[in-house]
Amino acid sequence: MSTHFGAKFMNVLYVAGSIFMLASCNSSPSEPDFLSISLHKDWYLYSPDTLDSYPATVPGTVHTDLMSAGIIPDPFYGSNVEAVQWIENHSWVYSCSFDLHINPENYDATELIFEGLDTYANVWLNEIPVLNANNMFRSWRIPVQHLIKEGSNNLRVEFLSPKRVCAPMLSKQGFIYPADNDESKISPYVRKAAYHFGWDWAPRLVTSGVWKPVRLEFFQKAALRDCSVAQLKLNPEEAVVRITAEVESFMDAPFEGTLDVGGAQWKGSITPGLQRISVDVTIHKPTLWWPNGEGTQNLYHYQAVLGTKDRQLHKSPITVGLRTIALVNEPDSIGTSFYFKVNGKPLFMKGANYIPQDVFLPRVRDAQYRELLLKARDANMNMLRVWGGGVYERDLFYHLCDSLGILVWQDFMLAGTMYPADDAFLDNVRQEAQEQVRRIGKHPCLALWCGNNEIEVAWQNWGWQKKYGYTGQQEDEMLAGYNLLFHSLLPDETRKHSHEIPYVSTSPQSNWGKAENFNHGSMHYWGVWHGREPASAFSANVGRFMVEYGMQSYPAEETLMEYVQEGHMNLDSSAIAHRQKSYIGNQEMLRHINDMGEQPATFSEFIASSQRAQSHALQLATEAHVNAQGHCMGSLLWQLNDCWPGPSWSIVDYAGREKAAYGAVQQAFSTKPIPELHR
């Protein structure tokens, strides 16, 4: 069903980076209709405070560049985290020069694209300011047709200290938002990964940098901006899929154009500016896409090709997985249901919460994504929750989930605090949501949009109002902002750009403090651990859909030894103490170890015992959830993986080593539930 065409593609080494060409039948290789040049070479980093310059890596971060230059030690080694906290207080500048061996005047449009800037960044091209960025989760596309030139060019990106940027906001607000993870209380204002400010499994390392690819793109006549996929018809005989392309013409007058997808073609007038063009693709005898363990992960691959009668102007790959997804979250005979139907079939969801694989995101290799997601599949998981204090993941992550049959519960990146509700903040989030919903919403693996992590349950149960001394007016202001963001803005964006995917405003819907709550909606159960209940409590406390639950353990001894000197491998050393971010971590682990009748005498024994205690607890939990199928329809343990080498609730440590609990979870999830649902 794929479209093939006569365009020739070339990868050549270029001074500026990699160059990709789309040459039409009537174009010479020196004048391709579409040209993309990556700008990843010859970057330098310096601080305006010192002017000392160091070679830099793009994509990358200030921390990793300073580490490579020998200016700072590895923040993960020993207790070095404390020694590098000064970095977030400074501004940092990235700069590069590059030679352009084509004439931009031969093109109708030239754009500079940053896929990700972390976070407050001012950009200059050839000493002309072109961008003020303020959101780690957005990409930035800048018209530079009249600024770029053949020959030598320079590019400069200044990253401002979030503390310096947010200080006036804190003063103006008159109160602080309840971001308990962040000692500086600036994170609610910053559209940046919340875990960078610290979490109970992550150190505080507030990064900056060009964290995703940067490139130049050159266009003739028009460009494809977005291609969405909608299923119009799906039955055993035939499926009809509508591909809608957003096209931008750079011409002053209409021209006749074409859009080809899978043999289906649109022909007509392409008018100046933006327009939407749709093509319906018919698939005979379609094969459905199923989650892991339920069937095959069949995918149909196409190319959307924008062109004219004799030229091919731009293209975009499209992957289609034919399936239906529905969330049933409604009153039933015992409370409120929460379960997913895939292709009309109620399925028990088995999986985990996924966090970013590193504090320093650009250094996560493609192979690491594949290895980790294969571990999830091999543990019989069919769902991962992309947790809301991290990042919207790379395209590769979602492509792998498509191919492996792993459904994605996707949080918006809003977690653990109330947020501002001024027009500028809301508009920033709106543009972020629009981009991410369009991007991720194309994937058949996507099962759910969730507005936030734990904000509603925290507001109702964690005592923020008393702890922070809010006035009634301040409470009303924050609640109004909460409702605007999570009950209006975000659901509106998902309806407009991803209408087939269900949306819930928050997780969990029900707090674990009362027995009745286990009959209602989604649940984060932390009676075991934060509630200091014994592991056996997992068997007696089973909700309708268990989104979070867990037990801490230490990573493998081999993993720790890569970052801790041999003489410091003990619980009393600062190198180990700095890794424990939970307020009750080591003591609670030891209590569960003792409950099993074990008394570890050495640190090595403690590590092994902690993993056995975790394995025992998660075995009890996962088996209880699977055995309660019908009442319970999902079990997503906290957490799959780690972002650095320290104790946490993960079942795969930072180095990719499986903990003992991995096998217990794999065994429990090997059972294929046949749910008898409460109606």
Side-chain angles (χ1 to χ4, degrees), residues 222-227 245-248 259 304-306 314-316:
L224 288 168
R225 292 306 191 204
D226 183 60
C227 289
E246 187 175 78
V247 175
E248 182 174 6
L259 179 69
V305 182
L306 178 69
H314 201 193
K315 71 161 193 171
S316 178

Side-chain angles (χ1 to χ4, degrees), residues 251-509:
M251 311 306 291
D252 294 330
F255 67 91
E256 291 303 302
T258 62
L259 179 69
D260 291 275
V261 184
Q265 186 180 77
W266 172 94
K267 292 182 180 181
S269 178
I270 296 179
T271 57
L274 286 171
Q275 68 185 97
R276 296 172 72 80
I277 298 170
S278 294
V279 174
D280 291 348
V281 178
T282 299
I283 302 170
H284 299 288
K285 299 289 185 181
T287 302
L288 296 180
W289 183 95
W290 286 96
N292 181 32
E294 298 296 331
T296 62
Q297 289 77 54
N298 188 69
L299 298 170
Y300 296 88
H301 299 284
Y302 303 99
Q303 294 283 354
V305 182
L306 178 69
T308 63
K309 182 179 179 181
D310 57 357
R311 303 173 69 181
Q312 293 153 357
L313 302 177
H314 201 193
K315 71 161 193 171
S316 178
I318 297 170
T319 299
V320 174
L322 298 171
R323 60 97 182 93
T324 61
I325 187 89
L327 172 67
V328 183
N329 185 201
E330 58 191 26
D332 62 12
S333 61
I334 62 169
T336 310
S337 66
F338 195 106
Y339 67 92
F340 291 90
K341 294 170 69 175
V342 181
N343 299 326
K345 179 181 179 181
L347 295 182
F348 187 95
M349 294 302 160
K350 302 173 286 186
N353 287 261
Y354 169 93
I355 64 168
Q357 294 180 56
D358 206 312
V359 173
F360 307 120
L361 289 160
R363 69 182 184 182
V364 182
R365 296 174 287 105
D366 290 359
Q368 289 174 258
Y369 278 96
R370 181 161 184 82
E371 290 163 6
L372 182 62
L373 292 177
L374 282 171
K375 288 183 187 296
R377 183 201 65 182
D378 293 345
N380 302 301
M381 294 182 183
N382 59 15
M383 178 175 275
L384 292 177
R385 176 191 180 213
V386 178
W387 170 77
V391 297
Y392 306 96
E393 265 300 344
R394 290 167 48 187
D395 289 338
L396 174 63
F397 174 90
Y398 301 101
H399 284 306
L400 287 169
C401 288
D402 288 341
S403 65
L404 297 173
I406 300 174
L407 289 164
V408 173
W409 168 316
Q410 179 68 58
D411 281 6
F412 285 97
M413 293 302 116
L414 297 147
T417 185
M418 303 298 272
Y419 286 93
D422 58 275
D423 290 344
F425 183 87
L426 293 176
D427 184 62
N428 199 356
V429 174
R430 181 180 289 105
Q431 293 183 68
E432 165 194 322
Q434 181 180 106
E435 176 179 344
Q436 297 300 340
V437 169
R438 285 181 168 187
R439 180 177 71 94
I440 300 169
K442 300 178 177 69
H443 290 272
C445 65
L446 183 63
L448 182 70
W449 292 107
C450 178
N452 70 72
N453 172 72
E454 294 188 340
I455 300 177
E456 190 165 313
V457 72
W459 183 258
Q460 294 174 353
N461 297 281
W462 293 5
W464 280 346
Q465 296 86 339
K466 182 178 180 180
K467 178 179 179 180
Y468 292 96
Y470 297 132
T471 66
Q473 181 179 347
Q474 290 167 344
E475 290 182 22
D476 291 344
E477 179 183 328
M478 280 187 277
L479 275 176
Y482 178 93
N483 289 328
L484 186 60
L485 183 55
F486 298 109
H487 293 286
S488 179
L489 188 155
L490 292 178
D492 284 352
E493 292 303 318
T494 60
R495 278 192 294 268
K496 282 189 287 188
H497 304 294
S498 185
H499 65 277
E500 296 174 346
I501 305 302
Y503 169 87
V504 294
S505 62
T506 190
S507 184
Q509 296 174 337

Side-chain angles (χ1 to χ4, degrees), residues 518-529:
F518 288 86
N519 292 328
H520 295 279
S522 59
M523 169 74 68
H524 295 191
Y525 173 60
W526 287 106
V528 178
W529 194 262

Side-chain angles (χ1 to χ4, degrees), residues 650-669:
S650 75
I651 61 172
V652 178
D653 74 18
Y654 175 70
R657 294 184 171 98
E658 298 166 7
K659 297 182 181 179
Y662 177 89
V665 169
Q666 183 182 49
Q667 177 60 37
F669 284 167

Side-chain angles (χ1 to χ4, degrees), residues 89 137 195 216-217 233 241 271 294 340 362 369 382 411 424 435 446 458 491 540 559 565 571 588 630 643:
N89 300 320
F137 307 124
Y195 81 109
L216 286 166
E217 291 185 349
K233 182 180 181 181
V241 178
T271 57
E294 298 296 331
F340 291 90
Y369 278 96
N382 59 15
D411 281 6
E435 176 179 344
L446 183 63
T559 298
Q565 288 181 326
L571 288 175
E588 192 64 10
C643 69

Side-chain angles (χ1 to χ4, degrees), residues 379 381 551 553 610-619 622 637 639 649-652 658-668:
M381 294 182 183
M551 172 66 65
S553 69
S610 76
Q611 290 202 11
R612 283 193 291 272
Q614 181 191 39
S615 180
H616 171 67
L618 292 187
Q619 180 181 2
T622 49
L637 64 93
Q639 65 209 68
W649 294 262
S650 75
I651 61 172
V652 178
E658 298 166 7
K659 297 182 181 179
Y662 177 89
V665 169
Q666 183 182 49
Q667 177 60 37

